[in-house]
Amino acid sequence: MQTFRTAVLRSILLVSAAGAACGGADKGAPGAVAAPPSRSGDIWEIQAPADRTAVPGSIVAFVNGVHVMVVDGNEIYAGMTTLATKSGADGGRTITFPSGLTADMVSSGKGAELRFSSGERVMVHERQ
Amino acid sequence: MTMHTPHSRLTVTNVVCWSAALLLVMLAALSAQSDGFDDETAALTYHKVSGDRLDTQTVASRSQAALRATSFDRPDVVAAEQRRLDSLLASMDVSHEFTLTIDDRIADYDHTNSQFSIELFTPGSYIPFRAFSQEYRLVFANAASARAIPMPKEQAREFDARLNSFGRQIKNEVHFKIIGKGDPTGAVSGGFVVRAEITSARALDRSGEVLFTPKVVAAGAGPKFAGFDASKTDVAGLRIGGSKKDMEATLTRLFGKVTPGHMTASAKGFAGAIEVNSLGCRSGFTNRKTRPQPGAVCVTAYYDASETIRLVRVERMFPSNFDVNVFQKALLQKYGPLSGGRGALSWGPGIPGTVFNKPDSFVDALTASVAYDEDISSIGANRLENAIASLQLLDAAWAEKVSK
C-alpha cells in the first residue's frame, strides 16, 4: 500500500512527466484568464494554519491566488488565472506569477511545500 | 507642530505665521505660487484633491462663531458658517504649492551605501498638523528621491565633522503640493493621511547656508507598473470582466455551493450577485455557536445586466498573528506602488462612488484591508481575534461609464 507521501511525490512527478512528455512544453502565459476545468485535475490548498509560523506564507499564497488552486497536469489555475509552470528543483514545479514572483512547489512530508522567491513558505495539500 | 519620525520628534515651524496670512492672500493674487503653509488651507486642499469628505456641518457647529452665538441664533450661525466652509472648499486651488521649514536632522553616514540621509524623508516619518479639530498627517510620496545625500567617504568625513559641530540639526526647507490620500509606503496610517509631492527641497545649516539640494524626482516618475488596469489583474486569482457563468463554475470548483447574493437597492449598474459563504467570515454575522475559523474563505461577485462580473470581493480568515507587513509587501509585489490615493491600500484609478450611491466619495479599482473578527463577546475580552484579509476589485472603466 502506498503511503500518502508517495502519492504526493507521484502526483508532482506526474505533473513533471506530463510537461516533459509535451516536449518540455513549459507553457502557460502568466496571467492568462481561464476558468479552471470543472472536473479534471486536483484541488490543492493550504490548510487552516495550525502552525503559526506558516501564516506569512499563507498570506502570500492568498494574495497570489494559490491558497486554493487546481493542478491539472502541467497547468495550474489560481482561481481564474492560469499560471506559468516549469520543471523545478527536487523534482517539483516552479510556478511563475505575472508579477515575476516565483514559487517552487516541492514534495514535503504529507503534502508539498510552496517556497516563494520572496522567502515565505507554506504547506499545501491535495483536497481529499 | 511637530514632525514624527520613526526615531524622534522634531520641532516644526511654519515659514509664514498667522499674522502674515492676509499678506499671503494678497501675494497669491500676484503669484501662482505663494510661499507658506496654513493648516486649514492644507486641510481643505487635501479634502478637495482626495475626495475625502469634510463634514462641514460638524466643523461649523464647533466654530468659534457658533460657540459664541446664543442658542436662538446658533442654527443660523452654523448654517452660515457651513456655507462659508463649503464655498471655501470649492474654491481651493489644487495646484497650490506649500512651503514648510522643518527642524530636521541628518543621520550618521551609511558606510555601506556611501551616503547620509535626511530623517524627515525616511519611511514612517510624517508631519502632523491640526485643522477643524482633527489631526492630519502629511507624508511625501517622493520622499525616497530626496532622502539620500550621496558622498564619497573621504569627502564625507569632513561633512560629518561639520554636521557634528552643530549637533547634526538642520533646517529642511520643503516645497510641495498636495496630491491625494494615504502613504504610498503604507508606513503611516490614520484617518487623514495627506499625500504630498515634494517639488523642491534644501537642507540648510543654522545660519541659512545651503548644505545640500536633493535632486527630487516627481512622484510616480520612478520605476512603476505601467498604470493600473483592473481588467488585467486579479484578486486571489479571481477576475472581473468575465461571465457570471465562468465565475460560478470557478467558485463551485474551488469552494463549493454558490448561492444568489444580496443586492442593495442603492447600488447602481449592478443586476445581481453570486456568493460563496459570504457571511461566514465574521462572527458577528453568523448564527452558529462556533466562530468562523482561520482558513474560512468568503467570496461575493456582482454582475451587470449582461451578466458580466463587474466587482469581486474575496476574504480569508487568518490567525491572530496575521502580519500586516507581509500582506502589504505581497500586495506591492503583485500590484506595484500604491496608486489609488484614496485609501491606505488602494490602487487607482479613483472614480466617483456613484455605483455605490455615494457620488460625493471616490472609490478605487482595487482595495485591500484587514479587519479583526470582533463581536459582542470581544468586548472586555483579553484575547487576540482572528484577522480577516479582504481584497476587492472593481471594473473601474465600467463604473466610470455608469457614473456618467
Side-chain angles (χ1 to χ4, degrees):
Chain A
M1 188 176 81
Q2 71 178 9
T3 63
F4 189 79
R5 177 186 169 86
T6 309
V8 169
L9 271 172
R10 196 184 68 161
S11 176
I12 292 175
L13 288 172
L14 277 175
V15 169
S16 304
C22 295
D26 292 332
K27 61 183 181 180
V33 186
S38 58
R39 292 184 185 277
S40 63
D42 301 307
I43 294 178
W44 286 68
E45 60 189 338
I46 56 175
Q47 293 192 327
D51 176 8
R52 295 168 70 85
T53 60
V55 170
S58 65
I59 293 169
V60 178
F62 170 65
V63 168
N64 290 285
V66 290
H67 59 130
V68 183
M69 58 185 155
V70 175
V71 179
D72 183 20
N74 203 34
E75 303 289 335
I76 292 182
Y77 297 82
M80 307 166 84
T81 306
T82 55
L83 298 175
T85 70
K86 63 180 182 180
S87 300
D90 302 327
R93 302 293 295 170
T94 297
I95 304 168
T96 301
F97 299 92
S99 65
L101 180 76
T102 62
D104 289 324
M105 189 173 173
V106 179
S107 175
S108 175
K110 293 180 179 178
E113 188 174 51
L114 282 175
R115 299 173 182 171
F116 293 100
S117 55
S118 51
E120 297 81 7
R121 296 180 173 204
V122 67
M123 287 294 295
V124 290
H125 299 271
E126 185 178 346
R127 186 182 288 170
Q128 298 302 305
Chain B
M1 186 185 292
T2 56
M3 178 189 88
H4 288 250
T5 73
H7 310 294
S8 63
R9 286 183 169 196
L10 302 170
T11 302
V12 178
T13 54
N14 289 352
V15 167
V16 181
C17 64
W18 273 104
S19 61
L22 182 60
L23 176 62
L24 267 180
V25 171
M26 294 163 65
L27 288 174
L30 302 172
S31 167
Q33 295 187 341
S34 61
D35 287 340
F37 183 85
D38 172 71
D39 297 334
E40 292 198 353
T41 302
L44 288 167
T45 304
Y46 159 77
H47 285 288
K48 183 166 184 180
V49 169
S50 69
D52 199 356
R53 183 173 171 268
L54 175 64
D55 185 349
T56 51
Q57 185 177 25
T58 300
V59 172
S61 68
R62 292 194 300 238
S63 67
Q64 287 297 316
L67 295 174
R68 280 196 304 267
T70 63
S71 56
F72 183 85
D73 289 329
R74 189 165 294 125
D76 289 340
V77 171
V78 169
E81 178 64 6
Q82 187 181 1
R83 282 195 299 275
R84 187 187 73 80
L85 286 168
D86 287 337
S87 171
L88 203 55
L89 181 61
S91 70
M92 280 296 115
D93 173 11
V94 296
S95 65
H96 185 90
E97 184 171 286
F98 298 86
T99 302
L100 275 172
T101 298
I102 299 147
D103 287 340
D104 203 345
R105 185 178 183 278
I106 294 179
D108 290 341
Y109 187 65
D110 178 348
H111 289 266
T112 304
N113 296 305
S114 303
Q115 64 186 34
F116 295 90
S117 60
I118 300 172
E119 289 198 343
L120 172 64
F121 301 138
T122 57
S125 298
Y126 65 90
I127 300 168
F129 64 93
R130 288 190 69 80
F132 311 120
S133 302
Q134 50 200 20
E135 186 185 274
Y136 296 78
R137 295 177 172 185
L138 179 69
V139 298
F140 297 112
N142 55 341
S145 69
R147 184 185 311 144
I149 305 176
M151 201 173 287
K153 199 167 187 173
E154 286 310 307
Q155 189 183 342
R157 183 175 288 107
E158 186 183 339
F159 188 70
D160 192 64
R162 184 179 173 192
L163 293 175
N164 284 333
S165 71
F166 46 81
R168 314 190 80 84
Q169 304 297 316
I170 62 160
K171 298 283 185 188
N172 189 356
E173 181 186 287
V174 188
H175 300 256
F176 60 95
K177 292 180 179 178
I178 291 171
I179 60 171
K181 177 180 181 176
D183 179 5
T185 70
V188 177
S189 58
F192 301 109
V193 178
V194 180
R195 183 184 298 186
E197 178 186 59
I198 305 166
T199 53
S200 65
R202 295 193 305 169
L204 312 170
D205 69 13
R206 299 226 162 166
S207 65
E209 188 177 341
V210 177
L211 290 166
F212 180 70
T213 303
K215 291 177 181 172
V216 176
V217 176
K224 64 171 186 176
F225 285 27
F228 183 82
D229 186 344
S231 69
K232 291 180 179 172
T233 192
D234 65 85
V235 280
L238 302 176
R239 301 266 190 161
I240 54 168
S243 68
K244 174 195 170 194
K245 185 181 169 187
D246 275 354
M247 177 64 81
E248 197 163 0
T250 302
L251 297 179
T252 301
R253 182 78 204 272
L254 297 177
F255 305 112
K257 188 179 179 184
V258 176
T259 57
H262 173 71
M263 277 295 303
T264 58
S266 60
K268 186 178 177 185
F270 297 110
I274 52 175
E275 59 189 30
V276 171
N277 193 31
S278 70
L279 302 181
C281 286
R282 284 176 169 77
S283 296
F285 298 129
T286 61
N287 293 320
R288 294 175 296 192
K289 290 181 180 176
T290 54
R291 297 167 65 112
Q293 295 299 306
V297 176
C298 305
V299 182
T300 305
Y302 296 85
Y303 53 87
D304 65 9
S306 69
E307 299 207 330
T308 301
I309 300 297
R310 298 304 184 185
L311 183 149
V312 61
R313 180 170 54 248
V314 54
E315 299 177 309
R316 192 175 200 279
M317 180 170 278
F318 290 87
S320 58
N321 66 327
F322 183 87
D323 190 330
V324 175
N325 291 325
V326 172
F327 186 49
Q328 181 181 306
K329 188 183 81 168
L331 292 167
L332 294 174
Q333 159 87 38
K334 179 168 181 176
Y335 301 114
L338 297 167
S339 57
R342 292 172 176 88
L345 282 174
S346 66
W347 288 259
I351 53 163
T354 307
V355 288
F356 302 125
N357 200 27
K358 294 178 180 173
D360 294 336
S361 67
F362 282 80
V363 291
D364 285 314
L366 172 64
T367 55
S369 62
V370 180
Y372 290 88
D373 185 33
E374 294 174 336
D375 65 3
I376 196 162
S377 72
S378 306
I379 300 171
N382 185 24
R383 64 170 183 251
L384 295 170
E385 304 293 5
N386 291 322
I388 306 154
S390 300
L391 300 170
Q392 177 176 292
L393 184 64
L394 169 69
D395 188 335
W398 167 82
E400 191 163 24
K401 285 179 189 170
V402 170
S403 300
K404 288 176 180 172

